C-alpha cells in the first residue's frame, strides 16, 4: 500500500484545494425593455419589467 514519504504542508494542501472552491459569476442577460444587465429569470431592477410586462413600478 502506498504511504506518503513526507508531510504535506498547509500551503501546498491549500493550494491544491483552492481551485475547487472558486466562485463563478452569475449569468447576466440584457433586459429587452431598457437594456440594463439583469439576472436570468428575474425582474429587471432598473425598470421593473419581467417577461415583457411591468411587474413593479420603479420610481425615477
Amino acid at each position: 500500500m502506498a504511504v506518503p514519504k513526507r508531510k504535506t504542508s498547509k500551503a501546498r494542501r491549500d493550494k491544491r484545494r483552492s481551485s475547487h472552491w472558486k466562485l463563478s459569476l452569475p449569468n447576466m442577460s440584457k433586459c429587452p425593455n431598457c437594456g440594463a444587465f439583469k439576472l436570468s429569470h428575474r425582474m429587471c431592477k432598473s425598470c421593473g419589467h419581467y417577461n415583457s410586462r411591468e411587474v413593479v413600478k420603479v420610481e425615477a
Side-chain angles (χ1 to χ4, degrees), residues 6-58:
R6 301 244 183 270
K7 178 181 178 179
T8 307
S9 69
K10 293 173 197 162
R12 191 173 184 89
R13 176 199 67 199
D14 293 344
K15 270 191 267 183
R16 183 181 66 242
R17 291 180 181 172
S18 69
S19 62
H20 301 291
W21 296 100
K22 288 181 183 169
L23 293 174
S24 59
L25 289 172
N27 293 330
M28 302 292 277
S29 60
K30 280 195 172 183
C31 174
N33 188 48
C34 67
F37 283 103
K38 66 177 193 72
L39 288 171
S40 299
H41 305 287
R42 282 168 182 79
M43 173 197 76
C44 179
K45 289 182 180 179
S46 60
C47 68
H49 277 74
Y50 178 73
N51 206 12
S52 302
R53 289 186 307 233
E54 187 178 12
V55 181
V56 176
K57 291 199 181 230
V58 178

